[in-house]
Amino acid sequence: MTVSAQMLDTHPQMTGNVDREALLECIDACFDCAQACTACADACLGEERHLTHLVRCIRLNLDCADVCRTTGNLLLRQTEPDWAVIRAQLEACVEACQSCGSECQRHADGMNMEHCRVCAEACHRCADACRQLLRALPA
């Protein structure tokens, strides 16, 4: 059981009208993606021969990490959620993950950068989890 699951299980005001599994999947995917993006940005900085070609990737990694971390934090907060804010944040997270994931996939395919492949996969998983949770949110 993840720490996120333990915290939701022990929260005195757990939001009952959201699919718990979709919520947990999204929280964990957001934090995993934030970690992958942070590590990928650092790995890109270490690619000294290709650094000038990786500036956009690094920027998107850092932006995506921040958006994912914020999304995960918002989703962990269960007391009196504002569904319009949650929905907007999830949509922003999907966009950030798609943009970063596409850029990383380009470097994984074109320059054989394994760290970018791992990051792209994390971004795609996170975007999918956010879309799934968006479908499960109350109207």
Side-chain angles (χ1 to χ4, degrees):
M1 179 180 281
T2 66
V3 172
S4 299
Q6 291 174 19
M7 292 308 298
L8 290 180
D9 285 347
T10 60
H11 197 290
Q13 294 187 23
M14 177 63 191
T15 304
N17 52 351
V18 174
D19 179 327
R20 182 181 183 280
E21 291 308 310
L23 178 62
L24 275 173
E25 176 75 23
C26 192
I27 291 168
D28 291 338
C30 284
F31 289 136
D32 287 349
C33 190
Q35 289 177 347
C37 288
T38 300
C40 189
D42 185 65
C44 285
L45 287 170
E47 298 280 359
E48 294 175 9
R49 291 183 310 133
H50 304 289
L51 191 55
T52 58
H53 299 298
L54 295 170
V55 172
R56 179 168 169 73
C57 189
I58 294 166
R59 170 58 191 258
L60 293 175
N61 280 161
L62 296 174
D63 289 351
C64 191
D66 287 345
V67 170
C68 288
R69 195 172 300 105
T70 298
T71 304
N73 286 336
L74 287 176
L75 294 174
L76 275 172
R77 298 179 192 142
Q78 294 296 299
T79 306
E80 299 292 327
D82 182 328
W83 296 116
V85 171
I86 299 294
R87 186 171 275 104
Q89 185 65 36
L90 286 166
E91 290 168 354
C93 196
V94 168
E95 290 298 318
C97 287
Q98 284 180 191
S99 183
C100 184
S102 293
E103 183 72 12
C104 281
Q105 190 63 57
R106 194 168 69 79
H107 296 295
D109 294 343
M111 291 193 236
N112 239 3
M113 293 185 176
E114 191 64 13
H115 55 86
C116 283
R117 184 195 59 75
V118 171
C119 188
E121 289 174 4
C123 288
H124 296 308
R125 275 193 308 273
C126 187
D128 289 344
C130 287
R131 284 188 204 97
Q132 184 72 21
L133 184 57
L134 276 165
R135 289 189 289 272
L137 289 182

